[in-house]
Amino acid sequence: MDRRALADFLRNKRARISPVDVGLPQGHRRRTPGLRREEVAQLAYISVDHYTRLEQARGRHPSRRVLGGIARALRLTDQERARLFQLAGEREESEAAAPVREVQPSTLNLIERLSDTAAIVVDPTCRVLAWNPLAAALLEDFSALAPGQERNLIRRYFLHPDPDLRHYGMGASDQFAVTAVSYLRMAATRYPDSREVQDLVAELVAGSEDFARLWESHQFRIDRHLQQSVRHPQVGAIELDFDVLTVPDQEQQVVIFTAEPDSPAYRSLQLLKVIGTQRMTVES
């Protein structure tokens, strides 16, 4: 791995890409041309620290999946992509045509061990791939839904026939909407040939004026931490912290809902563990 040459290559390619080229808003106060490091990291589904270290010639050896994500984020040509892999000392692999749906055992073990936390795993299109018992109690029994469309959170939010049920009683639902659309925008950028992603966007544009407005506005905001009020039909309002953790090599997100120990919200979650849990399931 030639760290210095790789760093020079990444900085050069980042500077030539405009935010508009990848579906992001231009914004203001950009001191240098091209994308920001954090924008490349978001599009590549890696941490900002990991990408920054690569550009500073002091990063750890990137995996092939990480390199593939960077190549898509920077819109590299086939020759440039091959050069990226060469500089990183890796054998080039075929670019993924669609989001990865397999959840790693380590991720499943993580959410299973979070017994006091509601946790789900979603792919870039906001499809729920796995969940733990408390998430089933807090949100819904995902095992009772058909895999695919019915387990897609963004599809539920914009197309559910009952507006009162579409967002699981979340108070800051508008923030969720913008974040979910931003994730889908990144998925459309990373998988431009995916018919599934194209069909999902087309369905949402045709079926929801709210989605069409957000999609056309090019708003982009990823909220990885929020304080969220969830009104549950059995235990009432629960004030929770909402955090999104990235699984870089899988381009997946672990979404967790937590409460301060011994708080009223924590006690509500403990009650839900007793009255409404389901066995942890993975999408078949």
Side-chain angles (χ1 to χ4, degrees), residues 23 35 57 98 110 150 157 188 219 234 246 251 266 271-272 279:
L35 296 176
L110 170 66
E150 297 307 316
Y157 181 89
Q219 287 190 58
Q234 291 175 285
T246 298
E251 298 189 356
Y266 182 84
L271 179 58
L272 281 179
R279 179 175 59 86

Side-chain angles (χ1 to χ4, degrees), residues 12 34 46 83 116 133 137 150 153 162 180 202-203 245 256 270 283:
N12 176 271
I46 63 177
R83 177 60 174 162
D116 292 333
E150 297 307 316
L153 298 181
D162 187 343
E203 180 188 18
L245 312 176
I256 62 175
Q270 295 301 301
E283 180 186 40

Side-chain angles (χ1 to χ4, degrees), residues 25-152:
Q26 181 66 47
H28 304 287
R29 299 180 182 176
R30 288 183 178 266
R31 293 177 295 178
T32 58
L35 296 176
R36 298 187 176 103
R37 286 173 176 167
E38 57 267 29
E39 290 170 335
V40 177
Q42 284 183 337
L43 290 169
Y45 257 104
I46 63 177
S47 71
V48 177
D49 180 68
H50 188 10
Y51 181 78
T52 298
R53 287 175 177 272
L54 289 175
E55 277 205 5
Q56 293 174 344
R58 57 189 184 93
R60 66 180 185 272
H61 193 286
S63 68
R64 285 182 293 170
R65 186 173 293 281
V66 166
L67 292 171
I70 292 173
R72 289 190 294 273
L74 296 177
R75 297 292 180 90
L76 301 184
T77 65
D78 290 344
Q79 289 183 336
E80 290 169 338
R81 176 184 169 88
R83 177 60 174 162
L84 172 68
F85 276 76
Q86 180 186 39
L87 292 173
E90 273 290 352
R91 178 177 57 83
E92 186 175 5
E93 63 180 6
S94 298
E95 185 173 3
V100 176
R101 296 278 155 68
E102 179 182 357
V103 182
Q104 296 284 9
S106 58
T107 304
L108 294 176
N109 183 55
L110 170 66
I111 67 173
E112 184 177 20
R113 292 171 65 88
L114 296 174
S115 60
D116 292 333
T117 299
I120 61 175
V121 181
V122 299
D123 74 2
T125 70
C126 294
R127 180 189 293 196
V128 178
L129 305 178
W131 56 93
N132 68 3
L134 193 50
L138 177 67
L139 302 176
E140 68 177 319
D141 180 8
F142 294 104
S143 65
L145 304 177
Q149 289 186 337
E150 297 307 316
R151 293 182 189 169
N152 188 292

Side-chain angles (χ1 to χ4, degrees), residues 241-255:
D241 287 320
F242 169 94
D243 290 277
V244 181
L245 312 176
T246 298
V247 185
D249 285 352
Q250 296 297 98
E251 298 189 356
Q252 295 167 357
Q253 309 290 328
V254 178
V255 184

